[in-house]
Amino acid sequence: MDNTLLIGFAAGVLTAISTIPQIIKLIRDKKAQDVSPVMYFVLLAGNALWCYYGLLLDELPIIVTNAFSVVCDMLMIILNYRYSKK
Amino acid sequence: MDNTLLIGFAAGVLTAISTIPQIIKLIRDKKAQDVSPVMYFVLLAGNALWCYYGLLLDELPIIVTNAFSVVCDMLMIILNYRYSKK
């Protein structure tokens, strides 16, 4: 795997898993007042478009990392809705 | 500009600006207890790598959108540190 591909793959994995610490914190603390739901709707739209972009280019790394991000964004929106009323 | 490039550009802009609603919320509410700082360190690393990836490919859209994200991530880390002690 050449250097550039490796860097792109590492970048994709890092940006894809970046939401996980926030998901863990929400589940653990059960509080979300300070978290912006708008951010995750915008992120969801952006990651979904990146996924579609990857499909158009037939680039599996772009499809997989952004599909994972889409799932994380949806989870964040649900958790944010559930815990922000507390 | 062909369709695929347009979708990639739109995706890049959306993911780049996605942090802005969270930044506005922190500055307005001056509270950050529920926001995970770890998320923004991981995101910073990922976006910085995407920026480097764009430099290697000499792809201006990837460089510009991710450089903007890096600035937003740094701002989030500073705001998070400042307002999470309150």
Side-chain angles (χ1 to χ4, degrees):
Chain A
M1 195 187 272
D2 79 17
N3 209 14
T4 305
L5 197 64
L6 205 63
I7 286 164
F9 192 71
V13 168
L14 281 172
T15 41
I17 65 170
S18 63
T19 320
I20 293 178
Q22 182 68 71
I23 290 172
I24 292 170
K25 186 170 170 54
L26 285 200
I27 292 174
R28 195 189 55 206
D29 301 352
K30 299 203 177 358
K31 285 197 314 135
Q33 277 83 358
D34 307 333
V35 178
S36 162
V38 177
M39 170 174 177
Y40 292 95
F41 280 104
V42 174
L43 210 48
L44 177 62
N47 288 324
L49 268 181
W50 274 125
C51 227
Y52 181 49
Y53 179 74
L55 285 167
L56 291 175
L57 297 183
D58 200 23
E59 283 280 347
L60 200 60
I62 295 179
I63 300 166
V64 171
T65 53
N66 285 286
F68 180 81
S69 295
V70 164
V71 171
C72 286
D73 298 335
M74 286 178 184
L75 192 53
M76 269 304 299
I77 290 167
I78 294 163
L79 290 171
N80 204 325
Y81 178 75
R82 187 164 164 215
Y83 292 132
S84 61
K85 287 175 295 175
K86 292 208 171 186
Chain B
M1 196 188 268
D2 79 7
N3 210 15
T4 305
L5 197 64
L6 204 64
I7 286 164
F9 192 70
V13 168
L14 280 172
T15 42
I17 65 170
S18 62
T19 320
I20 293 177
Q22 182 67 73
I23 289 172
I24 293 169
K25 186 169 172 53
L26 285 199
I27 292 173
R28 195 189 54 205
D29 301 353
K30 299 204 177 357
K31 287 199 310 131
Q33 277 81 0
D34 306 335
V35 178
S36 161
V38 177
M39 169 175 177
Y40 292 95
F41 280 105
V42 174
L43 210 48
L44 177 61
N47 288 325
L49 267 182
W50 274 124
C51 227
Y52 181 49
Y53 179 73
L55 286 167
L56 291 176
L57 295 184
D58 200 22
E59 285 280 349
L60 201 59
I62 295 179
I63 299 166
V64 172
T65 51
N66 285 285
F68 181 80
S69 296
V70 163
V71 171
C72 286
D73 298 335
M74 286 180 185
L75 192 54
M76 269 304 300
I77 289 168
I78 294 164
L79 289 171
N80 204 327
Y81 177 75
R82 188 163 165 216
Y83 292 132
S84 61
K85 286 176 295 175
K86 294 208 171 180

